[in-house]
């Protein structure tokens, strides 16, 4: 989950390629045959490689890569001959938070155990209330609280808050500041 342009697809591609490129014979990673997912991952890998060659200069993906489509991928990870698990990854388009959250998205959230909330770090750290709005913090918080409170199973959920575009803060040794800000704006979800 995350606002439009915060880095959801880039994070997914980074995770996929990091797993795929691990140097071990015991690990294999495959993605399902969904053409859209494969095309998105291939395009993102190229963009990530271009960014890596720029040695950390600021960079933003052009708007024409933004899309309304929801990516639904199954990434199969085999750690040994006997241990295989599948990650069913659904990327909710950020535009949905601005328009209308579909019943399909609500149902997907109900069935999900692990949530990755992707955060546009520069906006959050530098723009005050506007940065909180840009990251759709209140919309995402309200949506998750609503779905969690309606869930009859009352299962534990894992929330992972992932700051993206945070090289400037990492290089300046300010990741504690980033973490504090995330805890502050997502206090209703984190219980802090």
């Amino acid at each position: 989950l995350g606002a439009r342009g915060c880095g959801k697809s880039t994070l997914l591609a980074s995770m996929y390629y990091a797993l795929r490129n691990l140097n071990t014979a015991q690990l294999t990673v495959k993605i399902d045959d969904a053409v859209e997912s494969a095309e998105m991952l291939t395009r993102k890998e190229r963009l990530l490689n271009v960014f890596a060659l720029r040695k950390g200069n600021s960079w933003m993906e052009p708007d024409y890569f933004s899309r309304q489509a929801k990516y639904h991928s199954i990434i199969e990870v085999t750690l040994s001959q006997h241990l295989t698990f599948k990650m069913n990854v659904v990327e909710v388009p950020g535009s949905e938070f601005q328009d209308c959250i579909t019943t399909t998205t609500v149902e997907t959230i109900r069935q999900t155990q692990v949530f990755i909330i992707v955060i546009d770090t520069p906006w959050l750290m530098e723009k005050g209330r506007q940065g909180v709005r840009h990251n759709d913090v209140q919309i995402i918080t309200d949506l998750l609280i609503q779905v969690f409170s309606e869930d009859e199973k009352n299962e534990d959920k894992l929330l992972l808050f992932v700051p993206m575009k945070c090289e400037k803060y990492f290089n300046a040794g300010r990741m504690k500041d980033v973490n504090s800000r995330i805890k502050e704006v997502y206090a209703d979800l984190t219980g802090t």
Side-chain angles (χ1 to χ4, degrees):
L1 302 171
R4 181 174 182 258
C6 67
K8 296 182 301 294
S9 300
T10 302
L11 176 65
L12 177 60
S14 297
M15 290 167 52
Y16 172 71
Y17 287 110
L19 283 171
R20 186 195 70 182
N21 294 332
L22 281 176
N23 241 351
T24 175
Q26 294 181 324
L27 179 72
T28 59
V29 181
K30 296 185 291 186
I31 191 164
D32 65 352
D33 293 330
V35 174
E36 304 87 22
S37 295
E39 287 175 356
M40 181 273 292
L41 288 171
T42 300
R43 179 177 38 110
K44 289 291 180 179
E45 181 181 32
R46 283 192 215 116
L47 288 170
L48 288 167
N49 287 334
V50 167
F51 179 62
L53 292 174
R54 293 183 66 172
K55 306 237 186 260
N57 293 336
S58 62
W59 170 81
M60 184 176 289
E61 185 174 344
D63 272 348
Y64 57 81
F65 283 118
S66 297
R67 77 249 163 301
Q68 303 288 324
K70 183 180 293 188
Y71 286 111
H72 184 100
S73 305
I74 297 175
I75 300 175
E76 184 175 304
V77 181
T78 305
L79 296 171
S80 69
Q81 292 179 343
H82 306 290
L83 179 60
T84 299
F85 66 92
K86 293 183 180 181
M87 294 184 288
N88 186 358
V89 180
V90 178
E91 179 187 336
V92 177
S95 59
E96 191 168 318
F97 295 118
Q98 299 303 316
D99 301 332
C100 178
I101 297 167
T102 65
T103 55
T104 304
T105 295
V106 171
E107 189 53 38
T108 300
I109 289 171
R110 269 196 187 93
Q111 297 172 12
T112 300
Q113 286 83 39
V114 178
F115 296 88
I116 299 174
I117 299 172
V118 183
I119 299 160
D120 189 329
T121 306
W123 273 88
L124 186 67
M125 296 298 289
E126 298 166 18
K127 304 288 185 175
R129 289 184 190 162
Q130 186 181 4
V132 172
R133 277 194 307 275
H134 173 79
N135 276 286
D136 292 329
V137 170
Q138 198 59 53
I139 295 170
I140 292 169
T141 298
D142 291 346
L143 173 65
L144 291 177
I145 288 173
Q146 174 196 343
V147 173
F148 294 165
S149 66
E150 293 171 358
D151 190 3
E152 296 171 4
K153 297 178 199 169
N154 205 14
E155 296 175 344
D156 288 337
K157 308 284 187 179
L158 177 61
L159 300 176
L160 301 172
F161 297 90
V162 180
M164 296 291 288
K165 308 173 194 174
C166 59
E167 297 85 1
K168 172 172 118 176
Y169 304 95
F170 179 80
N171 291 335
R174 294 189 54 213
M175 289 308 292
K176 284 185 178 182
D177 296 338
V178 172
N179 289 333
S180 294
R181 181 74 172 136
I182 291 170
K183 286 180 183 178
E184 174 190 332
V185 299
Y186 286 100
D188 291 342
L189 284 178
T190 62
T192 58

